[in-house]
Amino acid sequence: MDKNPLAVNIAGVKFKNPLIAASGTFGYGLEYSEIYDVSKIGGISLKGLTLLPKEGNDSPRIAETPSGILNSVGLQNPGTKAFVNDYMPKIKKLGTVLIANIAGNTLEEYAQTAKIVSASGVDMIELNISCPNVKQGGMAFGVEPDSVRAVTEKVKENSSLPLIVKLTPNVSDITKNAAAAQKGGADAISLINTISGMAVDYKTRRPVLKNVTGGLSGPAVKPVALKMVWQVYNTVDIPIIGMGGIMSYTDVLEFIICGASAVQIGTANIYNPTAMPEILADLERYFKENNLTLEELKGTLIV
Amino acid sequence: MERKITVLSNKEIAPKIFKLTAAAKIPDKTRCGNFVHIQLKEKPLRRPFCICDFSRELETLTIVYEVKGEGTKLLSGYQKGTCLDALFPLGNGFDIKSAKKIFLVGGGLGTAVLPAAFKSYEGEFTSFIGFKSKENIILAEELSLGGDLFVSTEDGSFGEKGFVTDCVKREISLRKPDIILACGPEPMLKSLQKISCQFGTKTLVSLEERMGCGVGACVVCAVKIKRDGQEHNMRVCKDGPVFDINEVVFN
Ligand SMILES: Cc1cc2nc3c(=O)[nH]c(=O)nc-3n(C[C@H](O)[C@H](O)[C@H](O)COP(=O)(O)OP(=O)(O)OC[C@H]3O[C@@H](n4cnc5c(N)ncnc54)[C@H](O)[C@@H]3O)c2cc1C
Ligand SMILES: Cc1cc2nc3c(=O)[nH]c(=O)nc-3n(C[C@H](O)[C@H](O)[C@H](O)COP(=O)(O)O)c2cc1C
Ligand code: FES
């Protein structure tokens, strides 16, 4: 028996503990590694990558809202070439599970990006399907179950790494999209990405974000995320990585109880750079005191 | 990185402008142009403020801030003894290399970035600060201790009438500085960009943008910087807040 009560295996990849940094809030791990030993955390979902470099949207790209933030970064990233050549040599030394979060505007872009990152030394791929599909009128890939399945299949054909499909909550029935991802060959599902929203300054009558709309994250989204994790847990057989507003170890426990095998932590890092090691210490204490394992707690919601 | 500061004093020094001095251990690398990211107990996001002044011996850190919205309003109510979670020093700070003759230029609240220069560099300083009117003047005494000081007001109620950059332009040919360090509103910086170009004087400016993490990881704090003929979005919190004025792309 594994002695570490927090160890978890997802699609054959071993995590020391279920705390994974959420994509876009942890860069490529390098900034936080100047602050603490990031090898302590379970893994990092790296900043969303596109085939070619992307400058993202204009500032302001962040708005503070009650209990959360809206962001409109617009996937600014250095592109796959710089990722492989300049970043990966440093990221590889971080000593934790590395997940490449990939995005694109066409199926072909997803395929090529998947192929390149698969040979870069990362452990897994997470598919960000919240991006507009330019060939199909700009609706996000993640909205229609058919296109979720198509993009999942396409990436599977182009990569042998375990694949996590990250679902967007901006859909009518998330269970259909989760089922479509599983049919397309996903090895795991992560959810939720940000909820689309906006902030307005009544004095200037302008939106706070230059991009007008953005994605909401933080404590405000946790109830929505918990519900969706629970719904998806009751729909698919593959492991689930839950996220949305996790700020403390009790939030982590709630996600696990709703069926998540592991969790991602995003906005909490932005509020507090040492949020993850702090939550981990509390979680370790809880499992020790209660003589529990993650596996025993998973999906134990009593309804 | 240090994280804890304790308020020693927090006083209004001009209408809506406060000076907060706190007990804090000052890390060796702290220098002018660094900022501190303060967690206000009731607000999700930290608020960035430039490190206005510091003392390694007395273990103090000073910021000067304007009450703008809810966060700074809360901050202005913190009394002596309040402990705050504050990350510092963050950002690159002014890298003056071997410059010796230094111009410090501040417009309005931008003046708050300047006093720390005396603790950070050896050199001959001349300061230029500009405000709307006499009542808005801040930090004149502190800056006069480090070298010559020119004060201007737009309405002429104190010092020279006009913009701070008029004064800089006149003195630059007389004093021939090696470098200009500046912070202020965009019109001032645009005018300084022209002056810097005209006289070929290296000019570094401290910029502002809305932030998330403050440590370089979330890329929300983008400013447009022109390098190698191309515009890039760079991070104010990590690549900046200090940039070469000739690289800054103004709106
Ligand atoms: C590197 C840097 C140094 C700064 N130094 C100083 C200083 O020395 N003195 C000073 O008075 N101000 C300084 N500012 C601006 C200061 O951070 C804002 O005035 C402050 O965050 C406003 O907070 P609020 O809650 O009162 O306003 P609100 O408008 O209620 O704030 C809402 C959100 O917008 C952000 N925000 C609003 N205005 C700004 C701004 N101008 N820049 C960045 N974020 C903003 C806030 O941080 C908050 O997240 C600096 C900004 C930066 C980026
Ligand atoms: C600033 C910022 C940038 C983000 N960038 C990405 C991204 O590149 N790819 C992605 O899949 N999700 C991205 N997200 C979404 C997060 O990974 C996460 O799904 C969401 O924020 C909910 O979790 P949280 O409430 O813990 O932050 C981003 C979120 C934030 C706040
Ligand atoms: S505020 Fe997060 S990168 Fe600058």
Side-chain angles (χ1 to χ4, degrees), chain A residues 64, chain B residues 35 40 45-50 64-73 109 112 206-211 236 241:
Chain A
E64 191 181 56
Chain B
F35 70 94
L40 306 167
L45 291 177
R46 289 164 189 272
R47 302 307 197 248
F49 302 98
C50 46
V64 166
Y65 61 94
E66 182 179 8
V67 173
K68 282 229 171 117
E70 287 175 31
T72 42
K73 178 124 205 290
L109 209 60
S206 177
L207 302 180
E208 284 184 8
E209 193 44 76
R210 291 191 180 228
M211 288 185 183
V236 163

Side-chain angles (χ1 to χ4, degrees), chain A residues 24-25 31-32 62 270, chain B residues 35 37 209-222 234-239:
Chain A
T25 63
E31 290 80 15
Y32 286 101
I62 186 165
I270 294 179
Chain B
F35 70 94
H37 216 193
E209 193 44 76
R210 291 191 180 228
M211 288 185 183
C213 67
V215 298
C218 72
V219 260
V220 305
C221 58
M234 299 194 74
R235 301 163 299 180
V236 163
C237 72
K238 187 82 175 176
D239 306 309

Side-chain angles (χ1 to χ4, degrees), chain A residues 22-24 47-48 71 75 101 128 166 192-193 217-218 243-245 266-267:
Chain A
S23 180
K47 173 69 200 164
N71 89 85
L75 275 176
N101 177 282
N128 174 358
K166 180 168 179 177
I192 61 173
N193 210 319
S217 63
M243 78 192 90
T267 304

Side-chain angles (χ1 to χ4, degrees), chain B residues 75-240:
Chain B
L75 186 59
S76 70
Y78 292 160
Q79 307 285 329
K80 183 174 176 178
T82 308
C83 273
L84 295 171
D85 175 350
L87 299 164
F88 72 98
L90 299 177
N92 59 358
F94 290 99
D95 181 2
I96 70 161
K97 303 255 159 44
S98 58
K100 283 281 166 259
K101 278 177 135 184
I102 304 161
F103 270 19
L104 304 176
V105 182
L109 209 60
T111 303
V113 82
L114 306 177
F118 306 139
K119 305 286 167 56
S120 313
Y121 318 111
E122 302 277 338
E124 184 192 322
F125 298 95
T126 312
S127 303
F128 302 84
I129 54 179
F131 303 90
K132 282 218 158 52
S133 186
K134 187 177 171 185
E135 60 164 10
N136 310 114
I137 297 174
I138 51 167
L139 301 167
E141 203 180 312
E142 288 84 340
L143 289 167
S144 68
L145 297 176
D148 288 348
L149 171 70
F150 294 87
V151 182
S152 33
T153 52
E154 284 173 37
D155 65 2
S157 54
F158 188 90
E160 298 183 34
K161 183 174 169 36
F163 293 120
V164 63
T165 41
D166 303 337
C167 219
V168 173
K169 199 167 171 181
R170 185 188 67 228
E171 293 297 320
I172 202 170
S173 39
L174 299 170
R175 300 182 180 231
K176 305 203 165 41
D178 303 321
I179 198 163
I180 301 174
L181 313 184
C183 184
E186 197 164 307
M188 174 192 121
L189 298 183
K190 277 185 183 158
S191 154
L192 210 53
Q193 195 177 46
K194 284 201 199 99
I195 295 172
S196 162
C197 245
Q198 187 187 340
F199 293 90
T201 311
K202 175 109 180 151
T203 303
L204 302 177
V205 291
S206 177
L207 302 180
E208 284 184 8
E209 193 44 76
R210 291 191 180 228
M211 288 185 183
C213 67
V215 298
C218 72
V219 260
V220 305
C221 58
V223 282
K224 285 224 154 33
I225 297 295
K226 196 167 185 169
R227 276 198 191 149
D228 316 317
Q230 275 191 318
E231 285 181 17
H232 301 286
N233 277 328
M234 299 194 74
R235 301 163 299 180
V236 163
C237 72
K238 187 82 175 176
D239 306 309

Side-chain angles (χ1 to χ4, degrees), chain A residues 110-282:
Chain A
Y110 273 107
Q112 280 182 281
T113 308
K115 213 179 249 173
I116 297 169
V117 300
S118 295
S120 71
V122 298
D123 302 294
M124 300 179 99
I125 291 182
E126 179 175 57
L127 203 53
N128 174 358
I129 49 176
S130 299
C131 313
N133 180 344
V134 294
K135 286 207 177 128
Q136 306 235 316
M139 189 198 277
F141 279 97
V143 175
E144 290 295 332
D146 287 347
S147 93
V148 172
R149 182 170 174 171
V151 66
T152 306
E153 280 170 351
K154 189 78 181 178
V155 169
K156 275 308 265 187
E157 281 163 23
N158 286 278
S159 166
S160 54
L161 289 181
L163 178 66
I164 306 164
V165 174
K166 180 168 179 177
L167 301 180
T168 164
N170 306 312
V171 298
S172 50
D173 180 357
I174 199 155
T175 61
K176 295 211 171 83
N177 303 47
Q182 177 167 289
K183 280 205 196 84
D187 299 291
I189 279 174
S190 62
L191 76 163
I192 61 173
N193 210 319
T194 54
I195 300 178
S196 136
M198 71 190 275
V200 173
D201 182 341
Y202 76 90
K203 288 179 230 123
T204 58
R205 299 193 190 176
R206 286 175 194 277
V208 178
L209 299 173
K210 184 70 188 246
N211 190 54
V212 186
T213 63
L216 183 66
S217 63
V221 310
K222 195 184 80 172
V224 178
L226 280 173
K227 183 199 81 168
M228 290 183 165
V229 165
W230 181 62
Q231 285 181 311
V232 169
Y233 179 67
N234 289 315
T235 308
V236 300
D237 310 318
I238 49 183
I240 295 168
I241 302 172
M243 78 192 90
I246 295 177
M247 295 284 139
S248 67
Y249 81 102
T250 55
D251 293 336
V252 176
L253 298 175
E254 291 168 16
F255 275 88
I256 305 287
I257 290 167
C258 286
S261 298
V263 296
Q264 289 188 12
I265 296 180
T267 304
N269 298 304
I270 294 179
Y271 291 1
N272 171 12
T274 49
M276 292 189 70
E278 287 170 23
I279 295 173
L280 180 60
D282 287 343

